Amino acid sequence: PSYHQEKAEKYHNVKGQVTKQEWIEFRDQYVGNATHSPLFQEWKAFILEWRDMNPYQVAMYLPHEEWLDETKGLELVKGFAHVLKEEGFPVQYAGDSMACIWYRHIYQAAMSENKKHLDEGWYIPEYTVQQRELLVAELRKFASEIDGTRPGDEQLKGILMRYSEEF
């Protein structure tokens, strides 16, 4: 998980990526084993807390990876602006200006960071086959538990299923 890296940088002044051995130790401690994943349960509880929070209702989910996709990112920003406008917030930009804002302030910044990591030779953290199988099963189970009674439930189920298929 990215927060392990972020904590290492913020609190331990790590420069560059944490060592692969440190990542493996973190992964094995928190991602879990064939029967239980403390990290997944913590993540699931966080999602459910947001989903079930009253009197608030989730109008839209904003998956991180979609912000960085050239097609989905722009659609996400337009959808988010629409939600804000529907809720009565002033939205000053529309159309092509939304594309420009997304491209300059989200996409370019993220791609610059990704290039830096590639240039510095960062590795891609890996999960064991057993951990992947557990996480895929948990994602699918979580999706089946979403009952469709809250706004955004269908979107959440779709995101969870997509994660399970892409993992």
Side-chain angles (χ1 to χ4, degrees), residues 144-160:
S144 74
E145 294 168 357
I146 303 299
D147 58 12
T149 59
R150 303 280 297 188
D153 274 359
E154 291 308 311
Q155 185 187 12
L156 177 57
K157 286 173 80 167
I159 291 167
L160 294 170

Side-chain angles (χ1 to χ4, degrees), residues 63-94:
H64 174 76
E65 65 282 355
E66 287 185 17
W67 285 107
L68 310 180
D69 181 278
E70 289 185 36
T71 303
K72 293 177 183 174
L74 183 54
E75 293 305 312
L76 197 62
V77 117
K78 287 178 181 177
F80 185 50
H82 177 75
V83 166
L84 291 174
K85 189 174 184 178
E86 289 291 311
E87 293 297 322
F89 292 93
V91 177
Q92 298 178 3
Y93 302 98

Side-chain angles (χ1 to χ4, degrees), residues 9 12 15-16 18 31 34 38-39 57 59 62-64 73 75-76 80 86 88-89 105 129-131 143 152 160 167:
E9 292 173 15
H12 304 289
K15 303 292 183 217
V18 297
V31 174
L39 194 64
Q57 294 186 16
L62 306 169
H64 174 76
E75 293 305 312
L76 197 62
F80 185 50
E86 289 291 311
F89 292 93
H105 297 285
V129 171
Q130 185 181 44
Q131 289 167 338
L160 294 170
F167 198 20

Side-chain angles (χ1 to χ4, degrees), residues 17-69:
Q17 192 174 20
V18 297
T19 68
K20 193 165 188 175
Q21 185 57 40
E22 185 180 343
W23 160 254
I24 289 169
E25 290 169 9
F26 171 81
R27 176 201 71 190
D28 290 347
Q29 182 178 0
Y30 292 105
V31 174
N33 55 39
T35 59
H36 181 67
S37 173
L39 194 64
F40 185 86
Q41 295 309 316
E42 183 179 304
W43 178 79
K44 179 181 175 181
F46 177 76
I47 301 297
L48 288 174
E49 181 178 341
W50 275 86
R51 176 185 173 264
D52 298 337
M53 197 176 290
N54 286 315
Y56 306 106
Q57 294 186 16
V58 175
M60 181 179 188
Y61 287 89
L62 306 169
H64 174 76
E65 65 282 355
E66 287 185 17
W67 285 107
L68 310 180
D69 181 278

Side-chain angles (χ1 to χ4, degrees), residues 79-148:
F80 185 50
H82 177 75
V83 166
L84 291 174
K85 189 174 184 178
E86 289 291 311
E87 293 297 322
F89 292 93
V91 177
Q92 298 178 3
Y93 302 98
D96 291 340
S97 62
M98 291 297 285
C100 183
I101 289 169
W102 167 80
Y103 185 78
R104 290 188 63 202
H105 297 285
I106 297 171
Y107 184 76
Q108 280 187 328
M111 291 302 108
S112 175
E113 188 68 16
N114 286 350
K115 183 180 182 324
K116 181 185 115 185
H117 291 171
L118 187 63
D119 291 347
E120 292 176 1
W122 284 36
Y123 63 88
I124 297 172
E126 300 169 345
Y127 296 92
T128 66
V129 171
Q130 185 181 44
Q131 289 167 338
R132 283 180 184 267
E133 289 172 352
L134 170 68
L135 293 172
V136 165
E138 289 293 334
L139 285 163
R140 291 180 179 159
K141 180 180 171 201
F142 186 15
S144 74
E145 294 168 357
I146 303 299
D147 58 12

